[in-house]
Amino acid sequence: MSAVARKTRRAVGADNVSLKSEFVAFKTNRIIEVASRLFYQSGYSSCTLDNVAEQLGVTKPFLYSYFKNKEAILAAICEVGISEALAVLEATLAGDHKNHRDLLAEVVRQVGRIVIDRQEYVVVYQREMKHLSADDHERILRLRHSFDHQIAELIREGIEAGEFREDTDSFVAVWIGGLISWIPTWYSPGGQRSADDVIDQLVTAALRLAGAEKPTN
Amino acid sequence: MSAVARKTRRAVGADNVSLKSEFVAFKTNRIIEVASRLFYQSGYSSCTLDNVAEQLGVTKPFLYSYFKNKEAILAAICEVGISEALAVLEATLAGDHKNHRDLLAEVVRQVGRIVIDRQEYVVVYQREMKHLSADDHERILRLRHSFDHQIAELIREGIEAGEFREDTDSFVAVWIGGLISWIPTWYSPGGQRSADDVIDQLVTAALRLAGAEKPTN
DNA sequence: TGAAAAAAATACTGGCCAGTATATCCTTTT
DNA sequence: AAAAGGATATACTGGCCAGTATTTTTTTCA
């Protein structure tokens, strides 16, 4: 990967600022990719920046030219963890759907997919958020609240439309969030269950919680 | 508390071994009680034994006369986290119940109660288990597997008895486990929702997942 | 090509912290 | 009352690690 990086850098002309910043983005991505895996495995506080650097084939001061400090790396990871989920949620909500039941199913499917694909980021986000600086913590929390709020709203509208059982209350949004968030603690890629199975079952479970039957595929 | 401790100790006669060991147990309990709260708040790796000692009004070497090292304190916390849940599960399973639906409801209610009451222990157990020594890790994991297995068995029997929807598959045990385990990440005592509300809604949700209606109270 | 600039490495520091060696205090026993 | 033993504190150590100062290597471009 270091060889590729070198080659790419060579191709960056001085007059081409955008390519250069893309390259910086590429390196920051590599850093948080490796860091998220290590933080996931051994925990933020136990994982040293020397570990991260070693895994990347660079040295610690290298990291400091891309991130202000260790906490900034954590913040970047947390941001991926929540903002990608938020992005697919909003994209799905913006699309067209027959009814609320189908919309909920699709939302759960898409978010579930992200949570599985970005397992390390999501778990680090959930587990280590408390180590963020006050500013970062607040920023991330705002994203989270937006996420929760939109899910709750979807449920509320579905109840109003009579598509979910009317004794379904606002708790259901929390339970569905729990279903999704809990996946990374037991699902491991390459285990007995395929990601597709897990997601199918997740959708079924979410619809049952909402009191809506599984849509006929 | 230290004053109480002193008085109690004075009452321990040399000829009364059982009282003395009870007193040791009392102190080890106080230690893991405080440690679980601090590990819960700031994470195992970030929390120092000096912090724990200070919170207890003692000094670090004091802790070392009750626990071999930091990891042993973590192991004790994890053990409470899982073994109390396992204990109420088994006690509930051992009792008499009309049918599988009521039994599932009661199990979920009891385990949910423990998870809320022992929030700090449960979260530390979930989050920090990877920092246990190989031996402790294996011991704790055995308890967890026993728990999971008994829940899965209960679901299987309920399906067989025709009390849960037959298209309910073994995944449901995992989803119900997720519902319960996720509670501590969003429930906080003294918030808007009372523990009793949460538990009632939890039971409803679990029964929906299993495809069994809520029992008429 | 070679001077300047940029990127990355080596080498270091200061503080923190798990764990321990030693001292003190308090209780029990005679 | 004083020696013995147990409980707890004080004082220390060695290693680790985030963050930095300095040097070396690589790239740029005149």
Side-chain angles (χ1 to χ4, degrees):
Chain A
M1 181 51 68
S2 159
V4 172
R6 211 151 292 186
K7 198 180 279 183
T8 311
R9 176 142 33 94
R10 216 169 265 133
V12 173
D15 52 346
N16 192 330
V17 174
S18 114
L19 249 189
K20 184 172 180 180
S21 74
E22 258 177 46
F23 188 63
V24 168
F26 171 76
K27 283 196 264 188
T28 49
N29 275 344
R30 280 285 298 152
I31 292 172
I32 69 167
E33 189 181 325
V34 167
S36 71
R37 208 177 61 237
L38 295 181
F39 291 178
Y40 172 76
Q41 285 165 1
S42 44
Y44 172 70
S45 302
S46 314
C47 177
T48 75
L49 291 187
D50 286 314
N51 295 153
V52 175
E54 186 189 353
Q55 200 69 30
L56 274 163
V58 297
T59 59
K60 185 167 52 175
F62 175 90
L63 306 177
Y64 279 86
S65 50
Y66 292 91
F67 291 93
K68 188 169 145 281
N69 51 31
K70 193 182 180 187
E71 186 267 328
I73 297 178
L74 177 61
I77 293 169
C78 291
E79 185 148 359
V80 170
I82 181 64
S83 69
E84 294 216 348
L86 185 57
V88 299
L89 170 63
E90 294 183 338
T92 307
L93 289 176
D96 282 340
H97 288 273
K98 274 216 306 285
N99 50 41
H100 290 87
R101 195 199 56 194
D102 284 5
L103 180 53
L104 176 62
E106 188 61 16
V107 161
V108 168
R109 178 175 301 280
Q110 295 298 332
V111 175
R113 168 63 66 187
I114 287 288
V115 166
I116 285 179
D117 286 352
R118 301 284 184 173
Q119 207 171 43
E120 290 89 352
Y121 294 82
V122 172
V123 170
V124 169
Y125 151 66
Q126 289 169 3
R127 203 200 264 155
E128 315 285 3
M129 204 181 160
K130 62 181 168 303
H131 293 115
L132 291 176
S133 70
D135 280 2
D136 286 329
H137 191 271
E138 197 199 344
R139 186 168 47 86
I140 301 289
L141 211 56
R142 258 201 303 274
L143 297 175
R144 173 57 187 254
H145 285 152
S146 170
F147 184 92
D148 287 347
H149 179 261
Q150 292 183 68
I151 295 267
E153 186 66 11
L154 167 56
I155 301 283
R156 210 187 50 72
E157 287 175 6
I159 296 171
E160 222 164 60
E163 293 178 44
F164 305 151
R165 277 174 39 168
E166 58 178 20
D167 62 338
T168 296
D169 95 351
S170 66
F171 260 105
V172 167
V174 176
W175 297 130
I176 291 178
L179 244 40
I180 297 174
S181 308
W182 189 245
I183 291 175
T185 66
W186 56 267
Y187 169 78
S188 75
Q192 317 92 310
R193 322 195 196 252
S194 79
D196 288 341
D197 272 5
V198 170
I199 291 175
D200 284 346
Q201 292 291 329
L202 168 67
V203 170
T204 304
L207 291 176
R208 280 198 188 179
L209 282 180
E213 283 311 293
K214 185 168 182 163
T216 50
N217 296 313
Chain B
M1 182 47 71
S2 159
V4 173
R6 212 151 288 185
K7 197 180 280 182
T8 311
R9 176 143 33 92
R10 216 170 265 135
V12 173
D15 51 346
N16 192 330
V17 173
S18 115
L19 249 191
K20 184 172 180 179
S21 75
E22 258 177 47
F23 188 64
V24 168
F26 170 76
K27 285 196 263 188
T28 49
N29 274 343
R30 280 283 299 152
I31 291 173
I32 68 167
E33 189 182 326
V34 167
S36 71
R37 208 178 60 237
L38 295 181
F39 291 178
Y40 172 75
Q41 285 164 1
S42 45
Y44 172 69
S45 303
S46 313
C47 178
T48 74
L49 291 188
D50 286 314
N51 295 154
V52 176
E54 186 189 352
Q55 199 69 30
L56 275 164
V58 298
T59 59
K60 188 166 53 176
F62 175 91
L63 305 177
Y64 280 87
S65 50
Y66 292 91
F67 291 93
K68 189 168 142 281
N69 52 31
K70 192 181 179 186
E71 186 267 329
I73 297 179
L74 177 61
I77 293 169
C78 291
E79 185 149 0
V80 171
I82 182 63
S83 68
E84 294 216 348
L86 186 57
V88 298
L89 170 64
E90 294 183 338
T92 307
L93 289 176
D96 281 342
H97 289 272
K98 273 215 308 283
N99 50 42
H100 290 86
R101 194 199 56 193
D102 284 4
L103 179 54
L104 176 62
E106 187 61 16
V107 161
V108 169
R109 177 175 302 280
Q110 296 298 331
V111 175
R113 168 64 65 186
I114 287 288
V115 166
I116 285 179
D117 286 352
R118 300 284 183 174
Q119 207 171 44
E120 289 89 352
Y121 294 82
V122 172
V123 170
V124 169
Y125 151 66
Q126 286 169 4
R127 204 200 263 154
E128 313 287 3
M129 204 180 159
K130 61 181 169 306
H131 293 116
L132 291 175
S133 70
D135 279 1
D136 285 329
H137 191 271
E138 197 199 344
R139 186 167 48 85
I140 300 290
L141 211 57
R142 258 201 303 273
L143 297 175
R144 172 57 186 254
H145 285 153
S146 169
F147 184 92
D148 288 346
H149 180 261
Q150 292 183 68
I151 293 269
E153 185 67 10
L154 166 58
I155 301 283
R156 209 187 50 71
E157 288 175 5
I159 296 172
E160 222 164 59
E163 293 178 43
F164 305 150
R165 277 173 41 168
E166 60 179 18
D167 62 338
T168 296
D169 93 353
S170 67
F171 260 105
V172 168
V174 176
W175 297 131
I176 292 178
L179 244 39
I180 298 174
S181 308
W182 189 245
I183 292 176
T185 66
W186 56 268
Y187 169 78
S188 74
Q192 317 92 313
R193 322 194 196 255
S194 78
D196 287 341
D197 272 4
V198 170
I199 291 175
D200 283 346
Q201 291 291 328
L202 169 67
V203 170
T204 304
L207 291 177
R208 280 199 189 179
L209 283 179
E213 283 310 294
K214 184 168 185 164
T216 50
N217 296 314

